[in-house]
Structure formats: C-alpha cells, structure tokens
Amino acid sequence: MDKRTLTERDICTKYITPALLQAGWQQHQFREEVITAGRVKVWGNLAVRLTDPDVQGGLRRADFVLYARPNLPIAVIEAKQNKFSIGHGMQQALAYAEMLDVPFAFSSNGDGFVMQDRSGISQPVVQEFALDQFPTLATLLAVYLQWKGLTDLPTQQLLEQPYYSALHANQPRYYQRVAINRTIEAVAKGQQRILLVMATGTGKTYTAFQIIWRLWKAKAKQRILFLADRNVLVDQTMRQDFAPFGEYMHKIENRTAKKNFEIYLSLYQAVTGKEEEQQIYRQFPADFFDLVVIDECHRGSAAEDSSWREVLDYFSSATHLGLTATPKEVKPAKGDNAVKVPEFNLKYFGNPIYTYSLKQGIEDGFLAPYKVIRVVTDADALGYTPEKGTTDRDGNIVENRQYNTKDYDRTLVLKQRTALVAKRVWEFLSKTDPMAKTIVFCDDQDHAERMRQALVTLIPAAASNRRYVMRITSDDKEGKAELENFIDNDQPFPVIATTSKLLTTGVDAKTCKLIVLDQNINSMTEFKQIVGRGTRIREDYHKLYFTVMDFKNATRLFADKDFDGEPVTVYEPTADEPIVPPDDSELPLLPIDGSEETEVPPYGKGKTDTGGTGKREKYYLDDVKVKLATEQTQYLDADGKLVTGQYRVLLKQQLQSNLREQFASLDDFLRRWNSAERKQAVLDELQVLGVTLETLHEVIPNSSEMDVFDLIAHLAFDQKPLTRQERAKRVKKRDYFSQYGAEARAVLDALLEKYASNGIQNIEDPQVLEMPPFDRFGTKMQIRRTIFGGVEQYNQAVTALEQALYRSEG
C-alpha cells in the first residue's frame, strides 16, 4: 500500500486513531467535531449555507478534538494526506485550537505528529513526535491545569462537573462551551465579578443555565439569584432554558420573599422600590445568595447611580456574573442628543472573560446576515422650513425654522411622510412575503398608532383582520395581549407590530424577517440591540437572513468603529425604483406594564402644552408633500468593506470575478461543462459562489429566454449568447432523433421542448417523466425500460441530447 495515495480519512483511521489508542486515549475521549455551521451567503433572494470547508466562511470541521473530560476539550489534531509535510495542517489546527480555547494543536500526515503548545509552557513550544510517541492524557492535562492556574484538587473537581444533558436537550456550541468553562474556571479561582459578552441571538440565557447547573450540582454555589428587568424575560427563562430546575426554582413576586428554594428568578422591580417596605430583597440575609446572575446588565444595574445597584451592593458577598451583548457605550461624535453613558459594566465587572461578537456569529453561521434598505425622503435630505404664518391642523402657528429628521414625529408630524414610510414597507412585504413577521420602531406611542393606521389603510387583509397590524406599547392592553402570538413561530398574526420604544432586549421572535427603523437612534448600545433582534436563524421556517429598512439614517452607525457586524447589502432606492433590492427577531422586548416604559418627551423648540407634563406639543401638518430623494447602493466586497456604487454593476463585477477564478479560460469552462455527466453538478458548484440563475438574470438584461450555459459564457468570456429556443432548433435541424425508434424520438422531442421552456436542469431530473406530456408514454419505469431498453440506455440518450445542445457550430 502506497501511503501517499491515501485520503485524509484513511490517514485518520489507519494511523492517527491507532496512535491515540496506543498512547492510552480511550475511544470516547476523541472524535471528529463540526465546530461551525457554515456562513449563510445571501445572493438576491437566495440564501445558501457555505458547507464546503475550503470556501471562506465554510463549515469548519476538526479531524480530531481530544477531551480530558466530557466537557473539557484539550487538544486538536488536523490530518493531511501523506503527500504533504507532517506540519502542513498546523495553522489550521491552531485556528481551531484558538476557537475551542485549548492549548495543544497537532498536525499529522500519518508519518508522525507536530505539536505546538499555545500556552508556552512546554519546551520547546513546537515538538515533533513519532507515531508511537503521542503524549498521554496525564501529560497534556498537567500542562492545561498549569496554564489555567487550576492546580488544587477542589478546583479540578469543579471542572469535572458535567453539563446538563437529556435525551432532547441541546448540546453547547463551541463558543458557549468556552464561555461556560471560562466562567467555571473563574469561579474556581475565586473571581467575584465576571462579565460575559455574547451577541444577541447566541444563547446567553442557555449559557447561563449551564453555568448555574454545573455550579449548583457541584454544590459550589447552592443559592442562585437570576435578575432581569423585564417580566417576559423571567417567564420565558423559567419555561424554556431553566425548566430542568423544576421544583427547586422560584420566581419572586407579589412582594413576598420565600426562603425554601435554591434557584430564584426576579425582576428588579419586584424586589426594589423607593419605600422601605418595597425593598423585598432586604428580607433575605445579605449572604443568602452565593451567585447573582445579572441578565442584560448593560441596562444599568451596575451603574453607581442606578436605583437597582443597591441590590448588587446588598448581596456583595456573592459572585456576580453579568451577561450582555453590548458591554460599553460611547458618546456620538456630534449631535444635540449625544449622551455619555458611563462604561459602568467594565468598571464594575472588569474586562470580559470571553467575547463572542455579532460578526463572529455571522461568520460561523450561527447568526443570520442581513441587508439594509435606506429610504431617504426629500424632507429628510433637505429639511423642511414652513412659510411664516403656517398653521397646523389644530390652528397652531408653526414656528418658522428649519425642521429635519430629528424633529419628525417628535416635534413636527408630516402626515404624508408617515404615509410614504408605510407605503414603502408594504411595497417591500407585498413583493417578498406579505406574512413575514415585521417590527416597526417609532419615536413614541402616538407615532406608533399613526403608523399602524397608515399600514392598515394600505393592506387589504388588515381591513378585515384587526390583528394583521397591531400597536404593541405599554399603554395598549389589546396590543400587549398579542405579544405572545407575535413571537410564536406558529401563529401567523400579528404580522406587523408597531412599537414606540427601542426596547430590544430578550423576547424571542425568531422568525422576524423585517425590522423597520423610523426612530432617531444615537446610542450604539440600542443600535446593536436592534440589529441583534433579527439575527436568530430558523431554517425550518425559511429564516436564514433578515432585512433592516431605515428611514431615519440610524444605520449610519455601521460606520462606527465599535460596530462589528456589517450588512451584506445596503440599498437606497429612488422614487422610481422598487423597494426590494435588485439582488433579489424577534420583537424587541415590550413592557408588561407602564412602569417599564418611560415616554421620552419630544425635543426641539416649539410650543409647549399647558397640561403640566413638561412635554413639547407637536405640530401636525397634513398637506406638506413628501417624496423620495436620493439613491445610494452599497454592498460588502470580498474584503468585507462597504463599497458604494450602482448595485447591478458591482454585482456583475463580483460574479465575473468569481467565474474567472473558477474557470481559467473559455476552453476550460467548455471542457468542464461538456465533461460533466450532469450539468446540474457544475451549477451546484457555482451556486456556492453566488452564481445562480437568479443573479445571472439580474445582471444580464433581457436574459430570461437564454440558456444558463450561455449566460455564464457571456458574462465571464463575452461570448454571444443563444436562447434556449435557438439551441433546440439547431438540434432539430441536425435530425438528431433519426437514430431512435418512433416512441423514443417522441420522448426526446418532448424533453427538448421542456429544455426550451425551462432549461437544462429540467431534462436532467428523472421526475420530469412523471409529468405531462410524458405520462401518455407510460410510467417513468416503462419509458426508461420499455422504450429505451433500460435506465442506462435512457441516461445515455439524455447525455447525447445534451452534447447535441452544446455542440459548437464551428
């Protein structure tokens, strides 16, 4: 046997696995492991997972992950064919080792092993071993424990505590496992303030559950308090991730402190208050809890001047674990509403022990990518200045000054602007998916109601179904009652929810496909939260990406250096262009009662009301015409940079580049196309690169009648394209069918007509024989066996037909 002819899998089974077993590793201590899911690539309306490991963003799979304990990976081995050097896979192994937070990376070609110790403890750091010299578990574990600073027996025993596991329970993803293990290690070493930063949609609550479960089962932390500031968050957590705690779990409510449970969940509002009798947390001894978990801690509980900080201070002897997607807030560079929010999370908890970003989640394929549609009206682009003496619909004189985006819907209401926003939203939904769950963010409750009315006016189904569009705000009981239905994947209504506050924390509406921003946003924290609302993937509901439609330039924050997850497309249509880009969530947490939402007064100069509320009165103008203004199209290039220009031109350039990288020349393309047993196999390869029939039609005008072969050759190599009808006529002109019997000729003639109508993919699919007009010849089996003499003969006839279709005239 020539080792150099063996595949990677052969090297694994014949050489690496025996070497591990010889070194004393047990079969259950190592396995091949899929690390990522493969990034979702969006081309037009088509979303495809990149499962090819050799494609950037493709699925990552480690040949071997070695485990010191069931929940503790310790090493990665990358196998390569023997024709490569022994260390050829080292850089790949190091990348996987870094992702999994393990110190040891090994590479092997079947002749031996090269090891690199990321901890720097082993000397030398890079070593080479013969096949029969692979290190033992004890050797590697000693270095691992030294690297982590966990050398005493109690801490080691804590690491060995397993995860919660049940028949249908989810297993932690690689980044969740790293977050859990680092937290357990921090607790084992006595760290009292811990911060985890994980992008929205990556499973912070599930991660918290596994941390609590292991610490609780190991009796390292016996009484735990889980704090949140949204009632629905607590209830959702109890029903879902924390359900295994069962009777040991208790929600603090009704201003009552019970002390006979071990896992407590509570709203801050349920245990705090200005009056002493409302401060229920003081009924517990200060040392009652061993661990306090603060969910969404960016909302202010750790701030020194927060009314909720007193809870953390009271239970100061406990370990405090903060969970957030946005650990800090920075002051916008300019603007009247620039507010400096102290970086209290970092000050209180210290630097995060682990960060898993939105960008990384999208790259790994665990979070959905997204497009951005920017709609700019002339009123936003140029501003609006009323003539002197202009009165609003109530007869109030409108102050004579220039109004701009930050004023609209807060100080000045332009009815036609609201109508235009609603029109563009419905235009998008009606042309994509009228039943796609949608959330529209408005500036206040009044704005949310006006937006609801504007949408209802446009949507035919909303006239008879009051639940099609719902305003869900703190002052609307009817709307709040529909919250559960909105976030339920299997409940079709409400389809559209309008809300008055950007409360983006917590509630899972995994199938939300459209997020509309008609609200002024100056906070990076809020912006990250809202983008994160749509990032959950649900392939079973065809939710692989989502769209953000921006009417108030909130997406300018993409340019901020602290934003880490750029969109795949940014599109700004003009009035004459469709709202759907040519390449073609969840509901933010809404308050349960009025105490959880505070209305922000409209700002700007203007007439004050006389109701004693301190809010500004709005001017309502119904007759100011508003229309769309500018166009700008952006997309991400191969380097991840936003490029501005005409989208179709840029998409065409990208497709040309991808095709020319795939095929060295026209002759190379012709050779590979003609040699392919099934043309669909070539098209499947190209689909991963974004070259699909849809995108080809998009960049080549008037091409719907052209063959996919001609589209590719024309786009990549400037060849004159033919239509499918022209190719079919050439085949008939050559009298290609004369070699077959009458019935076979009739079948092939029908196949040729199918090709002319629908393309090459249609005739390659055997199921076509079950459709008219083939059913008049008999069943699929009868056609292939009786008329053509067998399946093989039928396939040969189809292949010959394809060769005739693509034969050069020269």
Side-chain angles (χ1 to χ4, degrees):
M1 179 179 61
D2 184 359
K3 188 188 290 187
R4 294 179 64 84
T5 65
L6 297 179
T7 65
E8 277 189 17
R9 184 48 46 200
D10 291 333
I11 295 295
C12 291
T13 57
K14 296 179 183 297
Y15 296 97
I16 298 178
T17 295
L20 292 173
L21 294 173
Q22 183 180 347
W25 292 82
Q26 302 297 308
Q27 191 76 49
H28 68 273
Q29 293 176 319
F30 58 87
R31 64 172 180 262
E32 180 186 40
E33 185 163 316
V34 175
I35 301 175
T36 69
R39 178 173 181 157
V40 175
K41 190 75 172 179
V42 180
W43 294 98
N45 285 326
L46 178 68
V48 179
R49 272 206 186 274
L50 302 180
T51 56
D52 186 347
D54 296 325
V55 174
Q56 183 178 1
L59 183 146
R60 292 193 170 196
R61 177 187 286 109
D63 292 320
F64 291 87
V65 177
L66 279 58
Y67 284 82
R69 301 291 183 268
N71 52 290
L72 189 65
I74 195 171
V76 173
I77 304 175
E78 184 60 30
K80 293 298 178 185
Q81 292 177 272
N82 191 255
K83 65 182 180 181
F84 296 109
S85 67
I86 191 172
H88 187 77
M90 179 53 72
Q91 291 198 137
Q92 193 173 347
L94 284 168
Y96 294 163
E98 183 176 343
M99 292 175 70
L100 298 177
D101 197 29
V102 302
F104 301 106
F106 290 86
S107 175
S108 177
N109 65 353
D111 290 338
F113 298 92
V114 172
M115 181 195 81
Q116 183 167 330
D117 181 1
R118 295 176 56 243
S119 74
I121 295 173
S122 302
Q123 292 298 324
V125 171
V126 179
Q127 301 180 38
E128 189 167 331
F129 301 98
L131 278 177
D132 60 356
Q133 294 178 331
F134 193 86
T136 65
L137 169 58
T139 300
L140 297 186
L141 183 57
V143 174
Y144 179 89
L145 294 173
Q146 184 181 348
W147 177 47
K148 292 291 187 177
L150 303 168
T151 54
D152 60 277
L153 185 59
T155 60
Q156 294 176 21
Q157 291 175 336
L158 183 55
L159 289 184
E160 294 179 5
Q161 181 62 45
Y163 294 106
Y164 170 79
S165 181
L167 181 61
H168 299 294
N170 294 327
Q171 294 302 306
R173 296 169 175 169
Y174 86 86
Y175 63 87
Q176 293 169 336
R177 189 168 58 203
V178 174
I180 295 164
N181 286 341
R182 285 196 181 180
T183 303
I184 299 296
E185 292 162 5
V187 171
K189 291 188 289 188
Q191 186 172 331
Q192 286 292 90
R193 301 293 180 263
I194 303 168
L195 180 63
L196 284 178
V197 178
M198 297 171 65
T200 301
T202 57
K204 289 190 296 295
T205 309
Y206 170 78
T207 300
F209 161 72
Q210 289 288 7
I211 291 168
I212 294 170
W213 179 269
R214 289 179 61 186
L215 293 172
W216 179 60
K217 281 292 187 179
K219 299 189 183 303
K221 304 292 181 183
Q222 293 185 279
R223 291 198 185 99
I224 294 97
L225 174 62
F226 181 90
L227 283 172
D229 69 339
R230 289 296 182 268
N231 196 50
V232 67
L233 243 181
V234 173
D235 292 342
Q236 178 178 277
T237 299
M238 293 182 70
R239 289 194 311 268
Q240 299 176 6
D241 292 319
F242 280 35
F245 287 124
E247 62 184 9
Y248 296 96
M249 178 172 55
H250 171 66
K251 177 183 176 182
I252 301 174
E253 54 189 346
N254 299 323
R255 298 290 176 181
T256 304
K258 297 182 180 180
K259 302 182 180 66
N260 56 333
F261 294 90
E262 298 184 26
I263 310 297
Y264 291 79
L265 295 93
S266 178
L267 287 174
Y268 285 102
Q269 297 94 322
V271 294
T272 60
K274 294 182 178 179
E275 305 299 327
E276 186 173 343
E277 63 269 16
Q278 295 177 322
Q279 298 174 358
I280 306 303
Y281 67 91
R282 294 186 181 275
Q283 295 182 23
F284 294 97
D287 60 354
F288 185 82
F289 293 110
D290 305 308
L291 172 67
V292 178
V293 178
I294 306 98
D295 195 26
E296 304 293 355
C297 61
H298 65 273
R299 298 185 68 83
S301 54
E304 291 181 1
D305 57 351
S306 167
S307 60
W308 295 337
R309 172 65 176 269
E310 61 190 28
V311 181
L312 303 187
D313 290 341
Y314 183 78
F315 297 118
S316 61
S317 63
T319 301
H320 292 179
L321 170 62
L323 307 174
T324 184
T326 49
K328 62 181 180 178
E329 176 67 53
V330 294
K331 181 178 179 179
K334 295 180 181 179
D336 297 336
N337 296 323
V339 177
K340 176 67 174 180
V341 179
E343 296 181 3
F344 50 78
N345 280 323
L346 303 183
K347 183 178 180 180
Y348 184 82
F349 293 103
N351 289 325
I353 62 169
Y354 184 63
T355 298
Y356 189 72
S357 68
L358 171 65
K359 182 178 181 180
Q360 188 63 54
I362 294 175
E363 182 68 20
D364 288 344
F366 295 122
L367 296 180
Y370 57 97
K371 303 177 183 181
V372 170
I373 301 173
R374 287 179 180 159
V375 181
V376 183
T377 74
D378 57 351
D380 291 278
L382 305 174
Y384 166 71
T385 303
E387 294 182 2
K388 189 174 182 180
T390 296
T391 58
D392 70 1
R393 70 183 185 193
D394 298 321
N396 299 312
I397 295 178
V398 181
E399 183 182 1
N400 182 234
R401 67 177 179 88
Q402 186 179 59
Y403 296 86
N404 53 38
T405 300
K406 71 180 181 64
D407 297 301
Y408 300 142
D409 302 302
R410 300 289 294 279
T411 301
L412 182 70
V413 174
L414 300 179
K415 182 178 180 180
Q416 293 192 26
R417 185 186 180 282
T418 304
L420 186 148
V421 171
K423 178 182 177 182
R424 299 300 266 180
V425 170
W426 177 238
E427 180 183 340
F428 177 85
L429 288 173
S430 62
K431 291 183 178 180
T432 53
D433 179 5
M435 296 302 291
K437 291 293 179 90
T438 300
I439 176 67
V440 184
F441 295 100
C442 304
D443 269 304
D444 55 29
Q445 295 169 352
D446 169 64
H447 184 196
E449 174 57 23
R450 288 186 289 102
M451 185 61 67
R452 186 198 68 80
Q453 294 176 20
L455 287 164
V456 168
T457 301
L458 291 170
I459 302 172
S464 57
N465 186 344
R466 68 175 183 84
R467 296 172 60 233
Y468 196 103
V469 186
M470 296 291 294
R471 177 174 74 121
I472 305 180
T473 55
S474 65
D475 66 340
D476 193 315
K477 292 182 180 180
E478 292 290 334
K480 286 190 295 181
E482 292 296 330
L483 175 60
E484 290 296 327
N485 288 327
F486 184 85
I487 67 178
D488 189 331
N489 298 334
D490 297 316
Q491 292 293 328
F493 301 104
V495 176
I496 304 174
T498 66
T499 185
S500 65
K501 295 292 292 178
L502 194 70
L503 303 174
T504 59
T505 300
V507 175
D508 286 339
K510 297 181 177 67
T511 57
C512 186
K513 294 182 179 179
L514 177 63
I515 293 173
V516 180
L517 301 180
D518 198 25
Q519 183 184 79
N520 289 286
I521 303 172
N522 291 303
S523 164
M524 178 59 72
T525 295
E526 290 182 334
F527 183 63
K528 284 188 174 183
Q529 287 289 330
I530 191 170
V531 170
R533 289 305 90 197
T535 54
R536 286 171 172 82
I537 288 176
R538 282 303 298 263
E539 295 188 57
D540 51 341
Y541 288 87
H542 308 291
K543 160 72 185 300
L544 283 168
Y545 71 96
F546 68 104
T547 301
V548 177
M549 189 179 291
D550 180 16
F551 291 87
K552 288 191 174 174
N553 199 27
T555 52
R556 70 190 183 283
L557 294 170
F558 284 138
D560 193 296
K561 63 181 179 60
D562 288 330
F563 191 80
D564 62 2
E566 298 89 348
V568 295
T569 300
V570 180
Y571 170 59
E572 291 190 5
T574 64
D576 299 328
E577 292 185 319
I579 192 65
V580 179
D583 64 333
D584 304 315
S585 139
E586 37 183 85
L587 181 67
L589 180 61
L590 301 173
I592 299 305
D593 57 56
S595 66
E596 292 188 272
E597 179 178 280
T598 55
E599 190 74 55
V600 179
Y603 51 84
K605 299 176 181 179
K607 183 178 177 181
T608 60
D609 66 10
T610 57
T613 63
K615 297 182 182 180
R616 315 299 299 187
E617 182 175 331
K618 295 179 186 177
Y619 301 116
Y620 292 83
L621 297 177
D622 297 345
D623 55 355
V624 176
K625 293 184 178 180
V626 179
K627 59 184 180 179
L628 295 181
T630 61
E631 174 193 7
Q632 183 188 57
T633 300
Q634 293 179 297
Y635 83 112
L636 289 183
D637 66 8
D639 298 321
K641 303 295 184 182
L642 280 172
V643 180
T644 302
Q646 292 294 328
Y647 183 83
R648 290 179 181 86
V649 174
L650 294 169
L651 179 58
K652 182 177 180 179
Q653 292 173 350
Q654 184 69 54
L655 295 180
Q656 284 178 327
S657 175
N658 290 347
L659 285 169
R660 289 169 181 170
E661 286 184 10
Q662 189 77 358
F663 305 111
S665 63
L666 176 61
D667 289 340
D668 182 34
F669 169 61
L670 295 175
R671 178 182 56 78
R672 290 172 63 180
W673 181 266
N674 290 325
S675 64
E677 187 173 335
R678 293 180 66 252
K679 311 309 178 192
Q680 186 60 47
V682 179
L683 300 179
D684 288 343
E685 291 179 13
L686 294 177
Q687 179 174 292
V688 176
L689 302 175
V691 182
T692 67
L693 198 56
E694 291 84 355
T695 54
L696 290 170
H697 286 321
E698 181 59 47
V699 300
I700 302 176
N702 305 316
S703 60
S704 61
E705 300 300 318
M706 295 178 189
D707 186 75
V708 64
F709 168 88
D710 292 276
L711 293 174
I712 294 172
H714 173 69
L715 181 60
F717 306 108
D718 298 322
Q719 293 298 296
K720 180 181 178 180
L722 297 176
T723 66
R724 294 188 299 273
Q725 288 285 355
E726 288 172 332
R727 288 196 173 275
K729 287 179 181 178
R730 293 199 318 183
V731 172
K732 291 181 178 181
K733 184 179 178 181
R734 298 191 191 107
D735 198 22
Y736 161 74
F737 299 126
S738 60
Q739 58 183 301
Y740 296 97
E743 283 191 302
R745 287 200 302 270
V747 171
L748 291 171
D749 187 63
L751 282 175
L752 194 59
E753 290 300 320
K754 286 287 185 183
Y755 160 80
S757 299
N758 302 306
I760 194 68
Q761 303 96 314
N762 201 267
I763 69 171
E764 287 191 335
D765 186 354
Q767 303 303 318
V768 73
L769 298 180
E770 299 176 355
M771 303 166 56
F774 301 99
D775 52 357
R776 64 186 174 89
F777 298 109
T779 66
K780 178 174 66 176
M781 182 178 296
Q782 289 172 334
I783 293 172
R784 294 193 295 187
R785 291 188 177 181
T786 304
I787 297 179
F788 287 89
V791 175
E792 184 67 26
Q793 289 83 347
Y794 171 78
N795 290 338
Q796 289 174 357
V798 172
T799 300
L801 176 58
E802 290 181 341
Q803 290 173 348
L805 280 168
Y806 298 112
R807 199 177 84 184
S808 171
E809 286 291 273

